[in-house]
Amino acid sequence: MDKNSYIGVFDSGIGGLTVVKGIVDSLPDENIVYFGDTARVPYGTRSKRQIIEYALSDVKFLATFDIKAVVIACNTADSTAREEVMAAYPEFPVFGVVDPASRMAAKTTRNGRIGVMATKATAASGAYDRAIARYNPEAEVFDMPCSLLVPLVENGRFLPGDKVAEMVVQEYAQPLVDKEVDTLILGCTHFPLLTDILRKYYPELNIISSSGAAAQELRESLEKAGTLNDSGKPGTHRYFVSDDAAQAEEIARYFMGSVLDSRVEQVRIE
Ligand code: DGL
């Protein structure tokens, strides 16, 4: 394992590419291997036991590469299975999305009231509440399970002007705004794509995407550990999914646009 080793990133599906995009933007020299478990997505509606089992098999696949760190891009997996992943793979550092977003929210809220939009499993785990309390014990956190948003985004319905998307986003965001939150964490891989709609209706909100915060934390940690890839050459990126690759590539464009620079490959994992 050295500076040139891969950063392994996994998600329940394609949404985790929002995190890859954040990493590529801030760490362009890094080699990245991505695994999206498209055969078993969604994780957000599943039981804790099932999410842990899936997350461990995702990392088992990533560990077949020469990796120097793993990033759990999936908020659901991070909030439910992080400790199990860390215990099973002590040989590399494991980064997530919940902690960096919580730290940023705790630091930037002005009134101490923070809303979290997430999947049902993430909201039920209480992971954001615990993480925010570590950074700001006074903060009040309001979790909102948003089950309809993942399928909406995966069907390309996330742009301002889309009446259905706007209505569903407001359905989930308005109760949080009514609780007077000044900061909103987008605690799901898919939700950064809904930022424009949220800004249209709630321009005053401090919106924190877990993807952006995660990339920033990864950079700081690699720098500190002396394992940052500073080769000056653009990194190699490999993308794997567990179901049809062509279908995944189509959805991947929503999340990464032209940053998706190589073909998606299908693999069978255990
Ligand atoms: N990747 C998941 C998350 O960030 C959303 C999709 C799913 O439910 O699997 O929570």
Side-chain angles (χ1 to χ4, degrees), residues 159-171 197 200-201:
L159 294 174
D162 183 316
K163 291 273 171 295
V164 175
E166 291 194 350
M167 195 171 77
V168 181
V169 167
Q170 286 180 84
E171 167 99 9
I197 293 184
K200 174 172 166 182
Y201 287 94

Side-chain angles (χ1 to χ4, degrees), residues 127-141:
Y128 273 103
D129 308 59
R130 287 191 296 278
I132 292 167
R134 277 200 297 279
Y135 296 109
N136 182 349
E138 307 292 311
E140 274 199 84
V141 183

